[in-house]
Amino acid sequence: MSPRPQPRPLSRRGFLVGLGALAGAAGLAACSNDAPPGPPAPGVPPSPTTTTSTAPAAYEGEVAWIALGAALSGLAGDLLGQAATGAAQGRFGAVPGVVSAYLSGAAAQHVAHAEAWNRLLAAGGRPAVTGYPLTVEPALRGRLDAARAPIDLLGLAADLTGTVAATVTRIVGEVTDASAVTLAAGVGPVVAMHGATADFLLGRPPTAPTDPVAGALTPDALTV
Amino acid sequence: MTAPAPADVPILQTASSLVELTLDTYVRLQRLAFGGGASAPAPVRELLAAAVAALERARTDLAEATRDAGGRVQTDPDPEYAPVVEQALPTVRGPGDAVGLALTLEDVLAQTLVSDVVELSAPPVRTTVAGHAAAAARRKALLLTLQTLLASGRTELVAVPPDLLALPPGAGTVGFPDVLFPTEKASPPTEGTPR
């Protein structure tokens, strides 16, 4: 019987390769104030939703926090992307262009974050998180299904990005690997910016949470 | 729980110096009629008030962390950017200028705090600083959005709540230009140490 391969320590080099690609995307985004590409045209079916994931017990200890980041960023990207697609299909009435642009733009960045978290897992020899294996996923998806107007979409986005920002801030203090700390440090403020924009569009006061980790998920929320 | 290490002291002192300067600048902008006064656009007035409250919390948290690490609390403003503020404040003529000055400081503060998160040794302090980095980033996002709207010359767009149908699509994304928060403008850890 051959020995079971041991997961490698999280590789800073491998992670930095992934960060390079992300920095390229960031540079492109920073060069333009134009709205990002919109969602697929009406009639194009949304990408299938997967709610289960890969091999069980793949994520333990510090790695579980990284997997949590991947799963939650992926879920946020999927939900906001689905909201943008539904808006383009007329599911939510007349959706202002600023709301559609917000949903598409924030979704794209959440997806990029999920890819970065997964590259970090891969660099350590762990499987990437596929789907959205989180206990909170059905309730959040139900909230999107129940949305009827643009204001509902913005409310979902504000709450969802609040959860992601709090969780990523919590991850900063739970991991020790330098690459993981670096990624969490760079992701959290961007997600906070998503939240600030949603709050502005909703007309909410510009207050930041006094407890930055209030409402954060923990690895207990992972279903893999 | 890991206590802050002595090596964290200059990082925390520099962060404190930037917070002191940014907080003081917001307070001075609040005194202007178009900043915190009656003629100020509501989103600008609300942002200034929220920023003062959040930065006062940051000042308290950073001071506590500095003391825990065995250092002297920095209460002076950042020496690199204080002259910039003194030069800029007399030229602030309207809400667009106020937003521009605040944005300059918030960007440096947020980038410095993000960089600090990676450098700090104690996880609880990393979390605290990350929380303040996120708060600064939230303010930066709103400042970027307000700056764009004010620059358009359509001041009616700067309202609470905004007219979603009138806002340009770019207003929905201008507040988050980067996939990862940048750090190239982060102040070096020794910039704000007491002299």
Side-chain angles (χ1 to χ4, degrees):
Chain A
M1 180 176 170
S2 60
R4 185 180 175 189
Q6 292 299 306
R8 298 187 300 276
L10 294 168
S11 158
R12 184 174 183 84
R13 182 173 177 276
F15 172 72
L16 291 176
V17 170
L19 268 191
L22 201 56
L28 287 175
C31 289
S32 171
N33 286 340
D34 295 339
V44 176
S47 58
T49 299
T50 309
T51 56
T52 56
S53 188
T54 55
Y59 313 116
E60 293 174 346
E62 187 167 316
V63 173
W65 286 97
I66 298 169
L68 176 64
L72 189 54
S73 292
L75 177 60
D78 183 69
L79 289 174
L80 297 187
Q82 297 277 346
T85 300
Q89 294 170 340
R91 268 188 58 200
F92 308 107
V95 177
V98 69
V99 177
S100 295
Y102 168 78
L103 294 169
S104 298
Q109 291 191 343
H110 283 298
V111 169
H113 294 162
E115 291 168 353
W117 289 114
N118 273 326
R119 277 194 293 273
L120 199 53
L121 288 169
R126 275 78 170 190
V129 173
T130 57
Y132 318 105
L134 291 165
T135 55
V136 297
E137 192 259 349
L140 288 168
R141 201 166 294 283
R143 197 168 155 191
L144 175 61
D145 292 341
R148 294 290 176 268
I151 204 84
D152 300 328
L153 302 178
L154 288 173
L156 172 61
D159 293 346
L160 182 57
T161 55
T163 300
V164 179
T167 302
V168 175
T169 302
R170 175 84 188 267
I171 290 172
V172 162
E174 298 291 344
V175 297
T176 55
D177 177 82
S179 299
V181 174
T182 301
L183 179 58
V187 165
V190 172
V191 178
M193 295 171 107
H194 297 166
T197 302
D199 282 349
F200 170 72
L201 295 175
L202 285 163
R204 291 179 178 171
T207 52
T210 51
D211 178 359
V213 298
L217 302 184
T218 68
D220 289 345
L222 283 169
T223 58
V224 291
Chain B
M1 181 179 290
T2 308
D8 293 339
V9 169
I11 298 172
L12 295 165
Q13 289 171 330
T14 295
S16 291
S17 73
L18 286 167
V19 166
E20 290 289 342
L21 178 64
T22 308
L23 174 58
D24 179 66
T25 304
Y26 272 117
V27 169
R28 293 163 79 177
L29 290 173
Q30 273 189 309
R31 295 184 189 131
L32 302 173
F34 51 78
S39 65
V44 174
R45 187 169 53 242
E46 289 183 357
L47 173 60
L48 265 54
V52 168
L55 288 165
E56 284 174 344
R57 289 196 297 272
R59 175 166 64 184
T60 301
D61 289 345
L62 290 168
E64 183 181 350
T66 305
R67 280 190 291 269
D68 288 349
R72 192 176 114 205
V73 175
Q74 173 60 286
T75 57
D76 292 333
D78 180 84
E80 183 76 18
Y81 291 97
V84 176
V85 171
E86 292 306 320
Q87 192 171 16
L89 269 174
T91 70
V92 172
R93 298 275 186 264
D97 295 336
V99 165
L101 177 56
L103 180 56
T104 298
L105 293 174
E106 287 287 12
D107 199 19
V108 173
L109 173 62
Q111 293 201 28
T112 302
L113 294 176
V114 169
S115 179
D116 291 348
V117 167
V118 179
E119 301 299 327
L120 287 164
S121 63
V125 180
R126 281 207 305 263
T127 302
T128 298
V129 172
H132 290 300
R138 286 181 65 90
R139 295 191 294 273
K140 178 184 171 182
L142 187 50
L143 288 164
L144 284 168
T145 305
L146 294 175
Q147 184 181 57
T148 298
L149 297 177
L150 289 165
S152 75
R154 297 179 61 192
T155 53
E156 76 277 9
L157 297 179
V158 187
V160 180
D163 180 352
L164 295 180
L165 290 171
L167 287 177
T173 55
V174 71
F176 43 91
D178 303 300
V179 176
L180 284 179
F181 205 85
T183 55
E184 65 264 21
K185 292 183 186 171
S187 291
T190 54
E191 181 175 287
T193 53
R195 291 161 198 254

